[in-house]
Amino acid sequence: MDQQEQKHKRRVRYKGTHPKNYKEKYKELAPEKYSDDVEKIIQKGNTPAGMHRSICVKEIMTILAIKPGERGFDATLGYGGHTLEMLKALNHTGHVYATDVDPIELPKTTERLRSHGFDEKYFTPVPSNFCKIDEVYKTSGPFDFILADLGVSSMQIDNPDRGFSFKTEGPLDLRLNPNVGISAAERLLDITKDELAGMLMENADEPHAEIIARAIISEIKRGRKIQTTTHLKQVISDALQFLPEKTRKEDIKKTCQRCFQALRIDVNNEYEVLYEFLEKIPHVLAPNGRVAILTFHSGEDRLVKKSFKAYFKEGLYKEIADEPIKPSMEECNTNSRARSAKLRWAIKAE
Ligand SMILES: C[S@@+](CC[C@H](N)C(=O)[O-])C[C@H]1O[C@@H](n2cnc3c(N)ncnc32)[C@H](O)[C@@H]1O
């Protein structure tokens, strides 16, 4: 063995609470070992890497009004924060089924919930799309409560390998399940300028949709495939240099956010699966069953509102939210990801 190999390999020094590189955040990525450090990060209003802070927990638990022995469905398991609250409310009675399409996070969350003492008797993780809720229902029977907390988790956004964020270099992927379908990079090779502009408008109300679609397609036509998050950000930024200097930086950031959102919705068929799920909910809810849905952009909220209203008119729901509930100021101040959240609910007729 040469001297180089014998040398003790030192761990990368932890650079305070804000190490630049995701993989250097080993304290945050092991919260069970470094709970004090992780608590400090949360106190400062940040979400530790590898973790997700559940939104509107109190409001959701009030709506769901869980009683011992009930059966529930969490459509979006994520980090398991909401599921854990449901399991605690059931207090080792009843059962929670939870779906998630993410094959990377689902096993970790299952292990975490098992370590809280919730075995197969109380909790069933289902690696599936929530639009297949009727398949779960075939074995579970009717649900007394259902929750969907739509979109992506902080773990997915923060992991540069998943390609969800324009803030870090990574493959332009954006799939919730990287084993299914095509990545956002591949999608851009297979779309016309007009289709792309339409997608940016429809999925994110992007005001610069035409200009950005033209810039993206011409970059690809010049033989420069857009395969990374930072390459897409650069193309967007170059296309928006005509904007007034005073607000340009902020406008580019917002445009990147909207364009990444539009692509994510597209590659994961988010509107189609949400529509299918909403159609099925009243048919899998028990009489007096409660459903709560947390959305993060206007397109999602519109779909939920329309579905709840339509089934209310038909008499399948006996009560629905008049207005969406928004997270408290306090929650928005301590968790910026809560700011765009809207919560709607409905109660199945008897
Ligand atoms: C906002 S996170 C949920 C966080 C969770 N409520 C918590 O407290 O930790 C959304 C999760 O839903 C999953 N998801 C999104 N769309 C889905 C779908 N159509 N079917 C199943 N899971 C989905 C994502 O993979 C992600 O893990």
Side-chain angles (χ1 to χ4, degrees):
M1 199 184 277
D2 68 20
Q3 237 183 345
Q4 201 71 27
E5 275 181 75
Q6 272 179 1
K7 257 190 180 173
H8 174 64
K9 226 180 162 201
R10 288 190 62 182
R11 185 160 30 194
V12 188
R13 199 172 77 83
Y14 194 73
K15 301 189 186 93
T17 50
H18 301 293
K20 284 236 156 56
N21 189 318
Y22 174 80
K23 289 185 178 120
E24 280 173 3
K25 301 185 183 190
Y26 67 88
K27 287 191 177 179
E28 295 168 52
L29 293 167
E32 55 298 332
K33 252 167 90 184
Y34 300 100
S35 56
D36 287 355
D37 299 85
V38 166
E39 191 48 40
K40 271 186 216 153
I41 294 167
I42 294 173
Q43 288 307 322
K44 282 191 173 169
N46 296 315
T47 302
M51 225 186 207
H52 179 91
R53 280 190 294 155
S54 308
I55 293 169
C56 284
V57 175
K58 229 171 90 192
E59 294 84 345
I60 287 170
M61 293 308 284
T62 305
I63 293 165
L64 297 184
I66 297 172
K67 292 178 276 301
E70 286 192 331
R71 184 186 300 129
F73 181 85
D74 188 345
T76 49
L77 177 65
Y79 192 74
H82 289 116
T83 310
L84 183 59
E85 289 306 313
M86 293 170 181
L87 290 165
K88 282 182 183 165
L90 288 171
N91 195 18
H92 290 94
T93 67
H95 200 96
V96 177
Y97 294 80
T99 47
D100 205 301
V101 282
D102 186 336
I104 298 158
E105 296 298 333
L106 183 125
K108 294 186 212 164
T109 300
T110 301
E111 201 183 312
R112 205 176 303 117
L113 293 173
R114 295 276 183 252
S115 75
H116 280 277
F118 297 107
D119 61 22
E120 293 82 356
K121 192 167 171 217
Y122 306 108
F123 168 62
T124 304
V126 186
S128 164
N129 199 298
F130 57 57
C131 68
K132 302 279 174 250
I133 188 171
D134 50 332
E135 294 291 322
V136 182
Y137 165 86
K138 278 183 198 159
T139 45
S140 66
F143 299 109
D144 300 295
F145 59 92
I146 294 175
L147 168 69
D149 169 14
L150 300 175
V152 273
S153 68
S154 302
M155 297 87 75
Q156 292 164 332
I157 296 171
D158 292 345
N159 184 346
D161 297 340
R162 308 288 305 260
F164 283 103
S165 172
F166 60 90
K167 291 181 186 158
T168 45
E169 167 87 22
L172 188 64
D173 194 311
L174 289 156
R175 279 172 296 177
L176 296 167
N177 182 350
N179 305 326
V180 169
I182 59 165
S183 69
E186 289 169 293
R187 178 75 174 114
L188 290 180
L189 297 177
D190 179 40
I191 193 166
T192 66
K193 179 179 75 58
D194 291 344
E195 277 174 329
L196 180 54
M199 180 220 284
L200 297 175
M201 291 276 286
E202 210 171 293
N203 293 357
D205 301 319
E206 174 50 53
H208 308 298
E210 286 287 339
I211 293 164
I212 290 174
R214 198 178 317 127
I216 290 174
I217 300 301
S218 90
E219 179 81 354
I220 293 170
K221 280 200 174 140
R222 269 183 270 154
R224 292 198 281 265
K225 289 183 186 168
I226 304 176
Q227 285 175 326
T228 64
T229 50
T230 45
H231 187 176
L232 179 57
K233 182 186 172 193
Q234 190 59 52
V235 173
I236 294 170
S237 168
D238 291 348
L240 297 182
Q241 287 308 307
F242 68 90
L243 291 172
E245 201 185 337
K246 212 170 149 206
T247 53
R248 192 185 301 148
K249 204 172 157 205
E250 190 55 25
D251 285 345
I252 290 174
K253 191 179 125 192
K254 290 206 172 120
T255 307
C256 284
Q257 270 164 356
R258 288 190 294 264
C259 291
F260 273 67
Q261 174 188 303
L263 275 171
R264 194 201 78 210
I265 291 172
D266 184 84
V267 294
N268 295 294
N269 299 314
E270 290 184 26
Y271 287 148
E272 291 83 348
V273 296
L274 177 58
Y275 183 83
E276 194 179 331
F277 175 60
L278 290 165
E279 287 279 289
K280 289 175 179 173
I281 292 174
H283 308 291
V284 297
L285 266 179
N288 294 312
R290 290 82 61 198
V291 52
I293 303 192
L294 199 53
T295 63
F296 291 86
H297 56 85
S298 56
E300 282 175 343
D301 183 56
R302 271 197 297 268
L303 274 183
V304 177
K305 182 178 166 183
K306 248 178 117 175
S307 169
F308 283 3
K309 268 196 170 168
Y311 281 131
F312 177 65
K313 269 194 178 165
E314 276 184 38
L316 279 170
Y317 289 135
K318 64 174 182 184
E319 221 180 312
I320 57 169
D322 284 333
E323 289 299 324
I325 298 168
K326 303 225 181 93
S328 65
M329 283 282 271
E330 196 194 346
E331 180 163 18
C332 294
N333 287 339
T334 54
N335 184 358
S336 59
R337 282 170 181 163
R339 283 181 201 148
S340 51
K342 282 185 185 168
L343 178 63
R344 289 190 184 269
W345 55 266
I347 304 178
K348 173 90 187 278
E350 282 166 45

